[in-house]
């Protein structure tokens, strides 16, 4: 199964996928390309260091959002993936791309959907909201991407306990280590080896 991974930031989830392919946790899978909307994303360096084709498709290079959306879809299609993995990708997937890759785009979200998700819930903001609400358990979710924001069919989730001393930063780190970096590779491996979940 050929996958394209879309990233925007540090790329720790991308690294987890690279490592899982390397150690056999993920089988029958090749990362055929990494696409970022952010030229400064460290994730692009992680891809290059792993010998993976890495490109930037930046909104700054297009006259408007519509043109960017078309450029993003073309860049993905050029890599001809079986599955598109959004790993910390902070771009709303355009409807035409959702349609083109119906049930073949997955996303990792750092909460137990339907909590703390939707427009405006990304990165540290998710963990700040969980701490603000006072929940005792949070976690991460892998889901299919549809036309909404964090609304597609849930594939896998993993819970993480919140500690009384947690800050948004310590919680984000633990959710990544104990949940995201585990269930995203597991979900990819499941899809690669058993077809659509
Ligand atoms: C993190 O907040 C993660 O929870 C979410 O995207 C952000 C960046 O992750 N999925 P990464 O280190 O770029 O994979």
């Amino acid at each position: 199964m050929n996958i394209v991974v879309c990233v925007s930031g540090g790329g720790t989830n991308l690294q987890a996928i690279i490592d899982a392919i390397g150690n056999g946790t993920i089988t029958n899978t090749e990362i055929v390309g990494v696409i970022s909307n952010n030229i400064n994303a460290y994730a692009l360096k992680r891809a290059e260091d792993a010998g993976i084709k890495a490109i930037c498709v930046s909104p700054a290079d297009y006259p408007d959002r519509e043109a960017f959306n078309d450029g993003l879809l073309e860049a993905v299609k050029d890599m001809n993936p079986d599955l598109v993995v959004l790993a910390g990708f902070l771009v709303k997937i355009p409807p035409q791309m959702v349609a083109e890759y119906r049930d073949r785009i997955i996303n990792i979200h750092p909460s137990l959907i339907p909590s703390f998700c939707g427009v405006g819930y990304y990165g540290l903001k998710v963990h700040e909201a969980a701490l603000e609400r006072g929940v005792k358990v949070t976690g991460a979710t892998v889901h299919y991407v549809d036309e909404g924001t964090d609304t597609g069919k849930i594939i896998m989730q993993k819970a993480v306990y919140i500690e009384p001393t947690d800050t948004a930063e310590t919680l984000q780190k633990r959710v990544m280590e104990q949940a995201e970096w585990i269930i995203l590779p597991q979900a990819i491996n499941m899809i690669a080896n058993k077809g659509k979940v």
Side-chain angles (χ1 to χ4, degrees):
M1 178 174 75
N2 291 341
I3 68 174
V4 165
V5 184
C6 297
V7 297
S8 296
T12 63
N13 280 285
L14 168 64
Q15 192 64 56
I17 299 167
I18 292 169
D19 296 347
I21 291 172
N23 67 29
T25 303
I26 298 177
T27 58
N28 298 317
T29 300
E30 178 186 356
I31 303 174
V32 295
V34 171
I35 298 174
S36 180
N37 61 310
N38 171 9
I39 190 67
N40 299 313
Y42 188 70
L44 290 172
K45 180 166 184 334
R46 293 181 190 270
E48 286 157 9
D49 289 351
I52 299 167
K53 178 181 179 181
I55 65 169
C56 178
V57 180
S58 169
D61 298 334
Y62 294 87
D64 54 43
R65 175 58 60 167
E66 191 61 31
F68 166 75
N69 287 346
D70 291 343
L72 176 63
L73 179 53
E74 281 316 302
V76 172
K77 288 171 72 173
D78 285 352
M79 293 177 173
N80 193 30
D82 301 301
L83 182 74
V84 179
V85 179
L86 309 184
F89 192 54
L90 300 179
V91 169
K92 176 91 171 101
I93 301 302
Q96 63 265 41
M97 183 164 154
V98 174
E100 181 87 29
Y101 290 95
R102 179 76 56 194
D103 291 340
R104 293 196 292 151
I105 307 174
I106 66 173
N107 181 52
I108 177 82
H109 182 77
S111 76
L112 295 176
I113 289 175
S115 297
F116 314 117
C117 64
V119 176
Y121 287 98
Y122 59 89
L124 273 180
K125 294 173 187 287
V126 174
H127 305 293
E128 287 164 354
L131 291 172
E132 175 66 29
R133 182 63 183 84
V135 294
K136 306 308 177 188
V137 178
T138 186
T141 303
V142 180
H143 63 93
Y144 283 109
V145 171
D146 61 12
E147 285 76 3
T149 300
D150 303 329
T151 52
K153 177 184 174 188
I154 291 173
I155 299 169
M156 201 175 282
Q157 295 187 301
K158 192 169 190 299
V160 173
Y161 279 95
I162 292 181
E163 307 294 341
T165 55
D166 267 327
T167 63
E169 289 76 8
T170 61
L171 183 55
Q172 178 178 54
K173 187 169 183 295
R174 191 157 67 256
V175 168
M176 283 175 154
E177 290 170 346
Q178 296 183 9
E180 295 178 47
W181 300 345
I182 294 170
I183 62 174
L184 186 54
Q186 282 180 344
I188 292 167
N189 187 59
M190 186 192 296
I191 295 168
N193 291 290
K194 296 196 180 108
K196 197 166 76 69
V197 170

